[in-house]
Amino acid sequence: MTQSDIEQPVLVTDDGGVRTITLNRPAARNAVNLAMATAIDAALTEFDERRDLTVAVLTANGSTFCAGMDLKAFLAGERPLTPDRGFAGIAQKPPRKPIIAAVNGPAVAGGFELVLACDLIVADEAVFFALPEVQRGLVATGGGLLRLPSRIPYHLAMELALTGRRFPVDEAHRLGLINRVTAPGTAFSAALELAAEIAACGPLAVAATKQIVQQGPGWPAAEAFERQAEFAAPVRSSADAVEGARAFTEKRAPVWTGS
């Protein structure tokens, strides 16, 4: 890692259709300040715009995934929000394409909310989650209270929100919140393997599928298929759809262009 990398709040790399976004304030337990939020927002906005990128992985340097909002910056009057995406540059408006959280250390408060803003979660077996805002006289407004009740049973979500207690990975996995539990130090590599499976698929189809799975439960039943078609029809008429069918008949791997 170069001196320039050390000074960056977020590191971004791209490889094989996968964008890796790494929280890079390990000395501050990757607490989110405005610079980090702005960098995450920019990385996600470019990710959504790039045809050659299909899926992202969000991970962190250091022993803590993210300790939440930088309270020192908060006391100095700073708010780690961006106009379009909200807290941490993701909470209010996650990317259009899928993003995987590779949790390699504790994710608490806004750090847990970062994880919940992702579509898939891979976590080391020794980490834990928590929404301890109530213990500090605050309210978790980074999406945790909105997302958690739809991911785990209501009464348990309420308990975690009202007590702020730690939520260990084994409990989270048993309740279906976690996709993969890994040995310590291997969450990122496991997340990359999962990302590679997704990146091998048609990028337009992947993005449309995420939107349908995410938004579909809120659609009125009478409108569901019509709304689904709004996402699916452009994909069906794309060059990638033709390429997928041709590759299948020719028994070869497809070459996606994102068009």
Side-chain angles (χ1 to χ4, degrees):
M1 183 178 294
T2 67
Q3 184 61 37
S4 177
D5 288 339
I6 292 173
E7 295 171 354
Q8 297 297 318
V10 169
L11 303 177
V12 179
T13 59
D14 300 325
D15 183 37
V18 179
R19 165 156 289 194
T20 297
I21 301 170
T22 304
L23 308 182
N24 191 44
R25 301 187 70 217
R29 298 190 301 155
N30 292 312
V32 183
N33 60 7
L34 181 58
M36 178 181 280
T38 301
I40 293 172
D41 187 317
L44 293 179
T45 298
E46 185 188 38
F47 165 62
D48 270 345
E49 293 172 349
R50 290 263 299 271
R51 288 186 176 184
D52 59 324
L53 297 174
T54 303
V55 58
V57 174
L58 179 66
T59 189
N61 283 330
S63 59
T64 299
F65 178 80
C66 180
M69 180 173 63
D70 188 325
L71 294 181
K72 291 182 180 179
F74 172 79
L75 291 173
E78 184 179 285
R79 301 294 181 267
L81 312 171
T82 63
D84 190 36
R85 298 187 185 273
F87 172 72
I90 186 175
Q92 185 173 312
K93 183 183 176 182
R96 176 177 57 85
K97 303 175 185 178
I99 180 168
I100 304 169
V103 188
N104 58 330
V108 301
F112 189 17
E113 293 178 306
L114 274 179
V115 172
L116 291 171
C118 295
D119 303 296
L120 302 99
I121 304 170
V122 177
D124 284 359
E125 62 186 14
V127 310
F128 62 86
F129 308 100
L131 290 175
E133 280 83 351
V134 290
Q135 298 176 352
R136 302 166 187 161
L138 298 171
V139 176
T141 58
L145 303 182
L146 301 175
R147 292 188 169 104
L148 193 59
S150 66
R151 313 285 176 81
I152 63 174
Y154 169 86
H155 295 97
L156 179 56
M158 188 65 79
E159 176 188 335
L160 295 173
L162 294 179
T163 66
R165 76 164 174 87
R166 292 183 176 185
F167 188 39
V169 163
D170 59 347
E171 184 179 4
H173 187 244
R174 177 171 54 83
L175 292 168
L177 185 68
I178 309 294
N179 294 83
R180 307 276 193 279
V181 177
T182 69
T186 63
F188 178 58
S189 59
L192 286 181
E193 291 176 2
L194 182 57
E197 291 185 48
I198 296 171
C201 302
L204 296 178
V206 165
T209 296
K210 169 183 169 172
Q211 296 303 307
I212 293 167
V213 172
Q214 190 174 66
Q215 298 180 32
W219 293 339
E223 301 175 10
F225 280 88
E226 181 179 354
R227 294 197 182 188
Q228 176 180 254
E230 294 174 5
F231 292 100
V235 177
R236 189 178 300 112
S237 60
S238 70
D240 273 357
V242 175
E243 167 62 11
R246 180 176 291 121
F248 178 79
T249 60
E250 296 175 356
K251 298 181 180 180
R252 59 172 176 81
V255 179
W256 309 118
T257 61
S259 60

